[in-house]
């Protein structure tokens, strides 16, 4: 069952209340537009909480893995509905790998997920800013950092060979997880991938905006590990 949520209206006072003064209210007003800051309210179908949002993600993934997808919120009427404004219930920080498309593996549709994708699912300054926007302005209740089996970025970081262009900047962000995993047993790629997921979660939690939302019990940040062979997501903790 898909979750619907009300559009929100954010005042300058509410932005400061949640520690968002650093974002700059002038930038928000000028850059995001009045439609986001004073959106029309829509009916609430369910009282969404971070726990319920997480369960919706896990339920959707279970349907996907068991080949029982419902393909919700993918109709033309849904397209028309979300064209007027978005209210996703969850955010995903996932790898750019083409085999892990969030809306498909979580069995969601248009307007349900706020997705940031980057090789190695690393939390860059820009990714953190995007997720702050998704949680504070759009109201997502859970952020899941999703890594996956046999990740190429993780493999390259472990190998440590020189790489061209800006690829190295991605690998540098993963290297601390490589170092912290050297003495651990088991599959090295999986171990580093899970360590990297947890490291990126800590980066997100260091955000003043996201940490305030967590304290107010309006947000939860969790990790997920995607199995390429089964399609299943397991929680990383």
């Amino acid at each position: 069952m898909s979750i619907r949520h009300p559009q929100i209206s954010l005042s300058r006072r509410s932005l400061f209340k949640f520690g968002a003064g650093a974002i700059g209210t002038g930038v928000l007003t000028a850059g995001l537009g009045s439609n986001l800051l004073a959106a029309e309210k829509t009916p609430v179908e369910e009282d969404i909480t971070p726990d319920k949002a997480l369960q919706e993600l896990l339920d959707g993934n279970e349907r996907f893995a068991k080949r029982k997808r419902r393909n919700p919120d993918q109709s033309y009427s849904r397209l028309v509905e979300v064209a007027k404004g978005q209210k996703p219930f969850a955010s995903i920080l996932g790898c750019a790998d083409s085999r892990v498309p969030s809306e498909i593996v979580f069995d969601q549709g248009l307007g349900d997920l706020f997705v940031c994708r980057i090789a190695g699912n690393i939390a860059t300054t820009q990714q953190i800013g995007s997720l702050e926007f998704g949680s504070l302005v759009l109201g997502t209740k859970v952020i899941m950092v999703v890594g996956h089996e046999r990740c190429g970025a993780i493999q390259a970081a472990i190998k440590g060979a020189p790489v061209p262009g800006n690829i190295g900047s991605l690998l540098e962000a993963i290297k601390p997880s490589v170092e912290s995993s050297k003495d651990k047993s088991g599959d090295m790629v999986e171990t580093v991938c899970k360590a990297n997921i947890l490291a990126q979660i800590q980066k997100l939690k260091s955000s003043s905006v996201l940490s305030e939302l967590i304290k107010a019990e309006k947000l939860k940040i969790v990790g997920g590990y995607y199995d390429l062979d089964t399609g299943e997501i397991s929680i990383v903790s």
Side-chain angles (χ1 to χ4, degrees), residues 3 5 73 78 82 86-89 103 109-114:
I3 297 174
H5 317 286
D73 294 336
R78 176 63 171 171
V82 297
Q86 61 172 320
K87 191 62 182 168
F89 72 89
E103 282 81 3
L110 296 166
D112 291 333
L113 303 180
F114 187 77

Side-chain angles (χ1 to χ4, degrees), residues 93-94 118-124 127 169-171 173-174 196 200 203:
L93 174 57
I118 183 172
N121 44 275
I122 58 176
T124 66
Q127 299 284 355
S169 65
L170 301 169
L171 307 188
I174 300 171
N196 180 56
Q200 305 315 315
K203 286 184 181 179

Side-chain angles (χ1 to χ4, degrees), residues 152-165:
I154 298 295
Q155 292 172 332
I158 293 172
K159 186 176 181 181
V163 292

Side-chain angles (χ1 to χ4, degrees), residues 115-170:
V115 181
C116 296
R117 297 181 68 179
I118 183 172
N121 44 275
I122 58 176
T124 66
T125 300
Q126 292 78 16
Q127 299 284 355
I128 294 172
S130 296
L131 293 166
E132 288 174 342
F133 174 85
S135 298
L136 180 65
V137 180
L138 300 181
T140 62
K141 299 300 183 182
V142 63
I143 298 173
M144 183 180 286
V145 180
V146 181
H148 65 91
E149 185 182 24
R150 299 191 292 273
C151 177
I154 298 295
Q155 292 172 332
I158 293 172
K159 186 176 181 181
V163 292
N166 293 308
I167 301 173
S169 65
L170 301 169

Side-chain angles (χ1 to χ4, degrees), residues 51-52 57 61 81 140 167 169 196 215:
D51 286 336
K52 287 182 179 179
L57 284 179
N61 176 250
E81 176 187 353
T140 62
I167 301 173
S169 65
N196 180 56
K215 288 178 183 178

Side-chain angles (χ1 to χ4, degrees), residues 18-19 132 203-219 221:
F18 285 105
E132 288 174 342
K203 286 184 181 179
L204 293 175
K205 287 183 176 180
S206 69
S207 156
S208 60
V209 174
L210 299 179
S211 64
E212 286 297 322
L213 290 170
I214 292 171
K215 288 178 183 178
E217 299 184 345
K218 295 179 180 295
L219 177 68
I221 303 179

Side-chain angles (χ1 to χ4, degrees), residues 87-103:
K87 191 62 182 168
F89 72 89
S91 293
I92 306 294
L93 174 57
C95 184
D97 193 291
S98 62
R99 298 167 292 181
V100 197
S102 297
E103 282 81 3

